[in-house]
C-alpha cells in the first residue's frame, strides 16, 4: 500500500467514526429538555418509584397456552422474584421518563442497593415501594398530611388540613414549616376566614366583593363596607365617579375617557389644540393659522376645497332630484327605483366625505364665521 492509499484509508475511517458519533448523539431517544430544572429529593424519589413500578408491570409474564401447566407455573413463580427480572427492570429504569430524566437516573444509581434489598427481602404485594424507599429508608418524603424533618402532622381545622381550604407548606416532604397556604379567597392561620374583599357564602365558599367595594358584607355594590377610589356612595350603593365631567381632569390637548372606577387621558389628534374625542374631526380649538370647521382644524385653502367639493355634490344631488321628478311623470315604478338608487348614492357619498352638505348649510347660513364653531 502506498502512502497516498494509506492516507485515504485513514481519512475514510475518520469520517465514518465521526459520522457514527454524530448520528448516535442526534438519535438519542427522549432527550430531557427539563434536566436543568430543579426538583426536590422527594419528587425525585417519587419519579423513580413510579418508573420502577412501570417496569415491574412491563416485565410481568402471562401464562403460556398449552404444554405443561404445572411446570410453567413453577417457572413463572421463580421468574417473578428472580435476579433476571430485576436486571430487566433496572435496564429500563427511567428510560420512559419524559421530564426530569437526569434526576431519575442519578437517584437510581444512588438507590441501587436499597432497591435490591426491597426486591429480595420484602413482599411487593404488601410493602409499598414508595413508602418503604422514599419515606422509611431514604427519608426523602413524609406520609400524606405530614411535613418537615420529623414528619410532623399538618395543622388541622375542623378535622381537615388547613380547614380543607389550603395546603400545608411542605406537605409530603421533609421540607417546609407546615404553614397553611390558603386557596384564593381564604385567609387566616387555618384558612378559616375570607380574604380581604371577599365575603362568606357558606362554610366552604368565599366570593369576591363587587369591584366598587373596599370590603363588603354580601354581593353587589349596595353591600360595600366602603367605596374604593373612583367610586362614591349614592343612594346606599357605590357608583362610578365620572372624572371626565371635571374640566381640569386632563390637559388642554387631551381628551378624557371614563372607565368604571377610573379614567384615562388620551392625546388629541396632532391637528387639534383641544378636542372631545380621538381623530382629526373632534377638535374644539385650533392654532391661530387654522380655523375650526365641523370639528376639523383646516387652513383657508382646505376650507375653500371643502366648500367647492360640497357645492359640486349639492349641484349633483339637485340634478339627480330633477331627473327623478321627470322620471316620476313618466313612470312611478321607474321613479321609485331611481329614488332608491339616488338615496343609496347620496348616503355613501356623504358618509365618505369629510364635510357633508348639512354641515355646509349650517356653516354658511346659521353660523357667522367658521372660527366660532
Amino acid at each position: 500500500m502506498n502512502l497516498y492509499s494509506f492516507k485515504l484509508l485513514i481519512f475514510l475511517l475518520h469520517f465514518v467514526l465521526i459520522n457514527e458519533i454524530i448520528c448516535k448523539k442526534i438519535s438519542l431517544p427522549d432527550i430531557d429538555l427539563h434536566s436543568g430544572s430543579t426538583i426536590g429529593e422527594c419528587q425525585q424519589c417519587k419519579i423513580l418509584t413510579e418508573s420502577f413500578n412501570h417496569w415491574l408491570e412491563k416485565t410481568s409474564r402471562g401464562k403460556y397456552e398449552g404444554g405443561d401447566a404445572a411446570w410453567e407455573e413453577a417457572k413463572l413463580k421463580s421468574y417473578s422474584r428472580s435476579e433476571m427480572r430485576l436486571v430487566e427492570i433496572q435496564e429500563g429504569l427511567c428510560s420512559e421518563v419524559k421530564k426530569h430524566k437526569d434526576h431519575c437516573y442519578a437517584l437510581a444509581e444512588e438507590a441501587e442497593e436499597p432497591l435490591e434489598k426491597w426486591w429480595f427481602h420484602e413482599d411487593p404485594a404488601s410493602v409499598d415501594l414508595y413508602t418503604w424507599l422514599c419515606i422509611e429508608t431514604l427519608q426523602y418524603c413524609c406520609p400524606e398530611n405530614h411535613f418537615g424533618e420529623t414528619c410532623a402532622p399538618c395543622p388541622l381545622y375542623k378535622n381537615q388540613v388547613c380547614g380543607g381550604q389550603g395546603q400545608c407548606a411542605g406537605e409530603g416532604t421533609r421540607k417546609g414549616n407546615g404553614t397553611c397556604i390558603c386557596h384564593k379567597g381564604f385567609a387566616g392561620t387555618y384558612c378559616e376566614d375570607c380574604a380581604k374583599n371577599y365575603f362568606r357564602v357558606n362554610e366552604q365558599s368565599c366570593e369576591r366583593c363587587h369591584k366598587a367595594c373596599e370590603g363588603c358584607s354580601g354581593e353587589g355594590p349596595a353591600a360595600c363596607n366602603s367605596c374604593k377610589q373612583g367610586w362614591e356612595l349614592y343612594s346606599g350603593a357605590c357608583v362610578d365617579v365620572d372624572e371626565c365631567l371635571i374640566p381640569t381632569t386632563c390637559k388642554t390637548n387631551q381628551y378624557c375617557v371614563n372607565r368604571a372606577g377610573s379614567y384615562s387621558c388620551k392625546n388629541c389628534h396632532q391637528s387639534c389644540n383641544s378636542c372631545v374625542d380621538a381623530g382629526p374631526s373632534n377638535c374644539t380649538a385650533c392654532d391661530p393659522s387654522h380655523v375650526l370647521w365641523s370639528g376639523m382644524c383646516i387652513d383657508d385653502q382646505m376650507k375653500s376645497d371643502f366648500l367647492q367639493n360640497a357645492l359640486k355634490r349639492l349641484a349633483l344631488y339637485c340634478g339627480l332630484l330633477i331627473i327623478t321628478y321627470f322620471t316620476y311623470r313618466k313612470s312611478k315604478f321607474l321613479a321609485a327605483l331611481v329614488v332608491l338608487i339616488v338615496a343609496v348614492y347620496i348616503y355613501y357619498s356623504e358618509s365618505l366625505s369629510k364635510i357633508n352638505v348639512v354641515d355646509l348649510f349650517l356653516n354658511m347660513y346659521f353660523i357667522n364665521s367658521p372660527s366660532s364653531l
Side-chain angles (χ1 to χ4, degrees):
M1 180 183 293
N2 57 31
L3 183 60
Y4 174 81
S5 299
F6 178 77
K7 286 182 177 181
L8 181 59
L9 178 61
I10 294 296
F11 172 79
L12 291 173
L13 288 172
H14 182 70
F15 176 81
V16 169
L17 286 172
I18 290 178
N19 185 64
E20 182 71 16
I21 292 170
I22 292 174
C23 289
K24 284 184 178 180
K25 286 185 177 180
I26 292 174
S27 62
L28 282 173
D30 301 328
I31 294 174
D32 186 13
L33 300 177
H34 304 275
S35 59
S37 58
T38 302
I39 58 172
E41 291 175 335
C42 183
Q43 183 65 17
Q44 292 180 41
C45 196
K46 189 172 184 179
I47 292 171
L48 175 63
T49 55
E50 287 175 352
S51 179
F52 193 98
N53 287 329
H54 169 80
W55 287 102
L56 187 65
E57 176 66 24
K58 292 277 281 186
T59 56
S60 63
R61 297 286 193 272
K63 289 188 176 182
Y64 301 104
E65 294 183 2
D68 189 339
W71 180 85
E72 288 170 0
E73 187 175 350
K75 194 74 174 174
L76 290 172
K77 217 177 257 186
S78 63
Y79 168 78
S80 66
R81 304 298 296 161
S82 67
E83 185 176 354
M84 180 187 300
R85 187 180 182 189
L86 177 61
V87 170
E88 287 184 36
I89 293 171
Q90 289 176 325
E91 285 177 351
L93 199 60
C94 301
S95 62
E96 86 290 358
V97 175
K98 300 298 181 184
K99 192 174 182 181
H100 306 300
K101 179 178 292 187
D102 287 350
H103 294 90
C104 184
Y105 277 129
L107 186 57
E109 185 176 348
E110 178 186 335
E112 185 176 351
E113 288 186 13
L115 284 172
E116 290 178 358
K117 182 179 179 182
W118 177 84
W119 179 258
F120 292 116
H121 300 288
E122 302 294 341
D123 180 15
S126 59
V127 181
D128 177 63
L129 176 60
Y130 172 76
T131 302
W132 185 89
L133 180 67
C134 302
I135 298 176
E136 298 173 359
T137 304
L138 298 179
Q139 296 186 350
Y140 285 166
C141 304
C142 286
E144 186 179 4
N145 298 332
H146 291 73
F147 73 95
E149 292 183 3
T150 60
C151 288
C154 289
L156 296 177
Y157 179 75
K158 294 185 177 180
N159 295 321
Q160 295 186 79
V161 173
C162 299
Q165 302 300 335
Q167 184 178 356
C168 168
E171 189 267 333
T173 74
R174 300 284 171 150
K175 309 292 183 181
N177 56 11
T179 302
C180 286
I181 304 169
C182 301
H183 298 157
K184 188 176 182 180
F186 290 88
T189 304
Y190 303 104
C191 304
E192 72 278 17
D193 300 320
C194 289
K196 184 179 179 182
N197 286 323
Y198 283 80
F199 66 93
R200 177 74 66 179
V201 177
N202 52 53
E203 286 191 4
Q204 300 299 320
S205 179
C206 290
E207 300 258 342
R208 185 182 289 277
C209 296
H210 188 273
K211 58 185 176 182
C213 300
E214 191 65 60
C216 67
S217 57
E219 188 178 3
C224 297
N225 296 338
S226 61
C227 301
K228 284 185 178 179
Q229 185 177 357
W231 304 80
E232 61 183 355
L233 191 64
Y234 181 79
S235 298
C238 292
V239 297
D240 175 49
V241 175
D242 190 351
E243 294 87 352
C244 295
L245 296 177
I246 304 171
T248 56
T249 298
C250 296
K251 296 178 182 179
T252 305
N253 63 339
Q254 293 180 324
Y255 64 94
C256 182
V257 178
N258 186 57
R259 294 189 176 90
S262 65
Y263 70 95
S264 62
C265 292
K266 307 269 187 186
N267 291 330
C268 295
H269 187 267
Q270 57 187 6
S271 64
C272 308
N273 272 9
S274 63
C275 64
V276 292
D277 210 336
S281 59
N282 288 297
C283 302
T284 55
C286 308
D287 63 53
S289 62
H290 289 71
V291 293
L292 188 63
W293 182 277
S294 296
M296 293 189 296
C297 291
I298 59 175
D299 56 24
D300 291 338
Q301 181 60 46
M302 290 173 66
K303 182 180 75 171
S304 176
D305 292 342
F306 283 142
L307 281 172
Q308 289 181 20
N309 183 268
L311 287 171
K312 287 178 182 179
R313 292 203 315 279
L314 181 59
L316 176 61
Y317 301 157
C318 289
L320 291 173
L321 290 174
I322 291 171
I323 292 172
T324 303
Y325 171 73
F326 284 109
T327 305
Y328 176 79
R329 294 179 63 180
K330 292 184 177 182
S331 171
K332 292 183 179 180
F333 174 76
L334 186 59
L337 183 60
V338 171
V339 167
L340 178 62
I341 295 172
V342 169
V344 171
Y345 175 77
I346 292 175
Y347 172 78
Y348 280 104
S349 295
E350 293 304 303
S351 62
L352 295 174
S353 175
K354 294 182 179 179
I355 297 291
N356 59 50
V357 173
V358 175
D359 288 333
L360 173 66
F361 278 115
L362 286 174
N363 282 281
M364 290 181 64
Y365 297 109
F366 298 101
I367 300 173
N368 294 327
S369 66
S371 59
S372 65
L373 287 176

